Amino acid sequence: MQGRIHSLESFGTVDGPGTRFVVFVQGCPMRCAYCHNPDTWSMTGGTMMEPEEIFEQYKRNEPFYKDGGITVTGGEPLMQVDFLIDLFTIAKANNVHTCIDSSGIAYKKNANPEWLAKLDKLMTLTDLVMLDIKHIDPDKHKELTSQPNDGILAFAEYLDEKHVDVWIRHVIVPGITDDDKYLYQLGYFIGGLSNLKALDALPYHTMGKPKYEKLGMEYKLDGVEPMDKNKLLEKKQVILDGIRKRREELGTHAKG
């Protein structure tokens, strides 16, 4: 089973625990206004590669990954479940930590049973999912990404049911995703997940803008300033407050 691959990165340091070999897959149905990889959107681009070929490239620098592993990001990895199963089967046979960086957009509770069965199998091979929740409000999520968020939130609950560790990632964009009301709601939601291991509140930046210009694409957030990193800590605290409240109600303790 070949994967449609956009690119490979040998030394990723923000894609899961430790230093990681990062596989960027091609193809994503999301159209996030702040996406810095719009060249991964097309479902027909990229290069077809075998899982064995990719793992061989991982092996070339394996000593550097002793505290890390392999992360598949994109694009949207869950658009290529069969490929991920094959790659992660090889990885786990070699005791390599596996991580998926996903938006969760591919998940639907009423999806094809065969696809859901494959997803179940993939989760037995996955050590960690880094789940990007773009916005907790359904309408604002659709404005930001052109896609609904009901399946994404359902995917978070699915990961909890399957006991797969999850890191939640949320980009804080001034005037768009920084409203305390919604940040608290996000925290309250993820506070109900027993598999929550970390929260990454990420500052919006404009480093992807030149790529849009190069591709001749409109950058929808033109004029939006980067997130003030000092305010970022305040905003993350609002999410943590929501987590703490939910866990108090559940009789557990919030984790930061």
Side-chain angles (χ1 to χ4, degrees), residues 103-105 107 109 131-138 141 148-159 168 185-186 189-190 193:
S103 70
I105 191 62
Y107 181 80
K109 282 186 176 180
L131 179 60
D132 294 304
I133 299 182
K134 313 297 184 179
H135 208 298
I136 195 68
D137 180 78
H141 186 279
N149 71 354
D150 54 335
I152 294 168
L153 302 183
F155 181 59
E157 295 172 336
Y158 165 84
L159 293 173
I168 296 296
Q185 287 180 6
L186 171 64
F189 171 76
I190 64 177
L193 305 174

Side-chain angles (χ1 to χ4, degrees), residues 157-171:
E157 295 172 336
Y158 165 84
L159 293 173
D160 196 8
E161 294 170 4
K162 296 299 178 181
H163 306 292
V164 179
D165 289 350
V166 65
W167 288 10
I168 296 296
R169 304 181 112 183
H170 185 66
V171 179

Side-chain angles (χ1 to χ4, degrees), residues 36 205-214 217 219 222-223:
H36 57 275
H205 59 74
T206 59
M207 289 185 287
K209 185 178 177 182
K211 186 177 289 187
Y212 284 77
E213 296 172 351
K214 184 178 180 180
M217 299 172 62
Y219 187 67
D222 191 24

